[in-house]
Amino acid sequence: MVKLRTFLMVSLCCAAAASAGLAQNVYNLPQVANGGGLIRTTFIGFNNGDTAATVVLTLRRDDGSPLALELSGLGTDSTHVFMLQPGETRFLETTGQGAVQAGSAQAISTAPIGFSGVFSLLRAGGGTLTEAGVGASQGLTEFVIAVDSTGVFNTGIALQNLSGGDNQVTFTLFETQPAGSATPRGGAPQTTRTLEGDGHLSVFFSGAGGLFPNAGSTRGLLRIQAQSEVAALTLRQGRSGSPLTTLPVVSTASDQTSFVLPQVANGTGIRTQFILFGLGGAGAAGGGGANVNIALTDSGGAAFPVTLSNGESGSSFDLTVGGTEAVFLETDGAGALRAGAARVTSDQPIGLTAAFSLLNAQGQITTEAGIGASPAEDEFSLPVDLTSGFDTGLALFNPGNSTANLTLQFIAEDGSTAGTEFPLGARATASIEPQGAGLSLAPLNQLARFVSQLIMGLGEVRGQLAVTSDRPVNALTLRQGSTTLTTLPVQPGVGGGGPGPGPMGSELVRSVEPGIDGRADVTVDRVLDGGFRLSGTVTVPMGFFPTSVIAIESGGEVYGGSVDFFGNYLIIVPAGTYDVRVCAAGAALPAAAAPAGAGGTSVLF
């Protein structure tokens, strides 16, 4: 028996066979946590397409059981369902209160969206100590990460089991000798862990309770092999808790040999660390390793000379990376502050990540952001947060041999491209190259600016920035607070945005069982007859109309169906127990009642 309430929900039993699964867009976040007044996770979802998306967000504990957390605007549950209209952006925050709990999250959307998280450590007296962006991770069975337990740092790994059964994971450590040799020190020790079905593991590689507690102060390569797919990310953390950085993992099957980092910097208060590593096999090491070049250019495309931790100086560096080796190279943070981009090429597939660090007057790292290689895109979007002391930055690099002409459009949190809170038609110009309503980026030029600098007059807002270019460019999102810095991925594609919702906003209605009125509480206990489908009619609140319908099987599988304007729905499913959920949106205002000034005028620079 299941009780229906506002945002109605009902479980239906269907003794049917046959199947028609929903085409799913899956976003795995291998690390979320909340509690103690010191830890909070923010989920960021934005729809940069032209189709409304229904998103099912499921939270799980280490043992795979449901993890119920309160999310802003959605209540407390382990499964949260919400809609993202075209152009809409949502920031869903946990409270940070209650007992400390950790686990993983998986979002399944009926349309492609941008989805990521921010994992925040809070100060006891208030404010954010440090935070790290958590991008969506693909499922893998064999991958590698670089590990570092020297100085103030330790490296951890977060794993999310994507199967419903137990999953044994094997870890092999290849330690790098001080001279940079790929020869493992003391062999290649192994250890295993078993993740329960849908379970989660976050563990440091070194130190008490770690995978290799006796590894001590070392750097090297960690190869991870799982019996079935896991999602994973690297956690790089200071021993005092700060700074905290996340980095992607790299599949051992990767064939990537060319990389672009759209934002590197060096000078007083800032340095960049490059982390290059083999893919865990003996082939590259036995053949002398991969031959790698790092080329640095400044914002104007000229050579960007730096001095690295190995003593070399210049703007172009050649090195060899063995198949079981990790190489850490750091700029010295000396001289006048300069920024630019890095291009890395190799004659064999390798892994590459980087960390962009801010330093205090004593040269200690106060905060840092992990940087992964960025693909070149001609259309992409990124989440924007200009509230509570945060700003959002955009780093761009033109890798081509001809000028790239770009246009930027801000889309507000509710999906609108016009609104009275913004000066309609406002323009801002990048200081290096005024272009009126657009921006030109010459070959090999790099630009990093805050959104508040690119588009004037936005104020305290959230939303997304849509970027189009006539040439593919590399891009990176930077989220910066008064004492924090982190990166977030960009999402390919740009959507339409529109005049925004009507005065009632939009609302999610969870239901339904045949003939149930969706406007009042009701209790339903029914077993459906055998057949191929779930069907019925739902009545939604006045001023709303149904937009989509899904059935969520008790194991988490999602099936899509059809629903018409009158609330008649149909979903084809196999045998099982389901939550059937219909989403409804508020009807838009008639054109005559739209706010003054609305009409699709874009806010561009």
Side-chain angles (χ1 to χ4, degrees):
M1 184 176 295
V2 177
K3 185 176 181 180
L4 298 184
R5 56 191 187 278
T6 305
F7 300 130
L8 302 174
M9 180 188 299
V10 62
S11 292
L12 304 176
C13 297
C14 177
S19 65
L22 175 69
Q24 298 178 358
N25 300 276
V26 181
Y27 307 89
N28 303 305
L29 301 186
Q31 180 74 4
V32 301
N34 180 74
L38 297 174
I39 303 174
R40 181 177 63 214
T41 298
T42 302
F43 301 100
I44 305 173
F46 63 96
N47 186 347
N48 64 330
D50 296 315
T51 303
T54 301
V55 184
V56 181
L57 175 62
T58 302
L59 309 175
R60 298 188 184 275
R61 302 176 186 271
D62 287 350
D63 62 4
S65 62
L67 171 59
L69 293 177
E70 181 181 351
L71 294 185
S72 50
L74 295 181
T76 302
D77 206 339
S78 61
T79 300
H80 299 271
V81 182
F82 58 95
M83 274 193 79
L84 287 173
Q85 295 292 343
E88 187 177 3
T89 302
R90 298 193 70 168
F91 286 71
L92 305 172
E93 296 180 343
T94 66
T95 64
Q97 302 305 307
V100 175
Q101 302 182 85
S104 63
Q106 183 180 73
I108 299 177
S109 174
T110 57
I113 60 172
F115 194 84
S116 58
V118 177
F119 180 74
S120 304
L121 300 185
L122 310 176
R123 298 182 187 275
T128 303
L129 175 65
T130 188
E131 62 180 22
V134 182
S137 302
Q138 63 176 320
L140 297 170
T141 57
E142 187 168 348
F143 51 93
V144 291
I145 67 171
V147 294
D148 180 4
S149 59
T150 63
V152 301
F153 284 102
N154 201 353
T155 302
I157 181 78
L159 299 177
Q160 176 183 10
N161 187 7
L162 300 182
S163 72
D166 288 353
N167 191 355
Q168 181 173 294
V169 184
T170 301
F171 304 87
T172 304
L173 176 62
F174 300 93
E175 297 176 271
T176 301
Q177 294 283 18
S181 167
T183 304
R185 184 174 65 194
Q190 287 188 340
T191 188
T192 62
R193 294 286 192 276
T194 298
L195 277 67
E196 297 181 65
D198 299 314
H200 166 263
L201 171 70
S202 57
V203 61
F204 285 113
F205 100 92
S206 177
L211 295 170
F212 301 94
N214 299 320
S217 178
T218 189
R219 286 172 166 174
L221 185 76
L222 188 65
R223 183 172 65 201
I224 299 100
Q225 297 165 291
Q227 289 180 325
S228 58
E229 284 192 346
V230 296
L233 61 79
T234 309
L235 296 166
R236 169 182 158 99
Q237 187 169 10
R239 299 184 192 278
S240 64
S242 178
L244 175 66
T245 309
T246 57
L247 293 166
V249 304
V250 179
S251 169
T252 57
S254 172
D255 60 359
Q256 189 168 2
T257 58
S258 179
F259 311 81
V260 171
L261 302 176
Q263 173 77 346
V264 298
N266 186 66
T268 303
I270 296 181
R271 67 180 181 223
T272 301
Q273 184 179 67
F274 304 98
I275 308 170
L276 306 97
F277 46 95
L279 300 184
N291 297 305
V292 181
N293 176 261
I294 303 174
L296 306 179
T297 49
D298 65 15
S299 58
F304 182 3
V306 298
T307 298
L308 298 179
S309 50
N310 63 0
E312 292 187 43
S313 297
S315 60
S316 180
F317 302 92
D318 295 314
L319 63 149
T320 301
V321 179
T324 55
E325 182 184 19
V327 177
F328 294 74
L329 294 172
E330 195 169 58
T331 65
D332 62 1
L337 178 60
R338 300 178 69 188
R343 288 167 294 152
V344 178
T345 55
S346 173
D347 63 357
Q348 298 182 44
I350 60 168
L352 170 72
T353 56
F356 178 75
S357 306
L358 302 187
L359 315 174
N360 60 20
Q362 291 74 43
Q364 300 167 325
I365 297 175
T366 59
T367 188
E368 65 176 17
I371 307 168
S374 299
E377 305 280 357
D378 56 11
E379 291 187 336
F380 55 90
S381 304
L382 58 136
V384 173
D385 184 3
L386 308 184
T387 67
S388 304
F390 284 102
D391 207 337
T392 299
L394 172 63
L396 296 167
F397 175 71
N398 180 6
N401 54 15
S402 58
T403 297
N405 299 296
L406 300 95
T407 300
L408 277 63
Q409 180 182 56
F410 178 75
I411 302 174
E413 196 169 8
D414 64 4
S416 63
T417 54
T420 56
E421 67 270 39
F422 313 124
L424 295 180
R427 298 288 187 268
T429 302
S431 60
I432 62 166
E433 214 171 309
Q435 291 293 322
L439 171 71
S440 291
L441 206 58
L444 302 186
N445 276 24
Q446 185 262 4
L447 173 69
R449 291 287 188 276
F450 287 115
V451 173
S452 61
Q453 297 171 324
L454 293 172
I455 303 177
M456 306 299 291
L458 291 181
E460 294 264 331
V461 295
R462 286 171 164 173
Q464 61 181 282
L465 189 70
V467 182
T468 59
S469 174
D470 61 1
R471 299 286 188 275
V473 296
N474 306 95
L476 179 71
T477 310
L478 295 164
R479 169 182 162 96
Q480 187 164 359
S482 58
T483 61
T484 64
L485 176 69
T486 191
T487 59
L488 291 169
V490 300
Q491 175 71 12
V494 294
M504 296 179 65
S506 61
E507 182 174 350
L508 175 69
V509 179
R510 296 180 182 177
S511 55
V512 293
E513 198 272 344
I516 293 299
D517 187 327
R519 295 169 293 186
D521 290 351
V522 65
T523 299
V524 177
D525 186 9
R526 174 180 292 194
V527 177
L528 298 184
D529 296 331
F532 287 93
R533 64 187 191 177
L534 300 175
S535 62
T537 304
V538 59
T539 304
V540 298
M542 182 69 67
F544 289 80
F545 58 93
T547 58
S548 63
V549 63
I550 58 173
I552 308 172
E553 195 266 335
S554 57
E557 191 73 16
V558 180
Y559 297 84
S562 61
V563 61
D564 63 22
F565 185 83
F566 302 102
N568 301 304
Y569 66 90
L570 171 65
I571 316 171
I572 306 300
V573 294
T577 300
Y578 298 86
D579 289 338
V580 178
R581 305 186 181 187
V582 172
C583 291
L589 283 172
T601 303
S602 300
V603 181
L604 303 174
F605 79 79

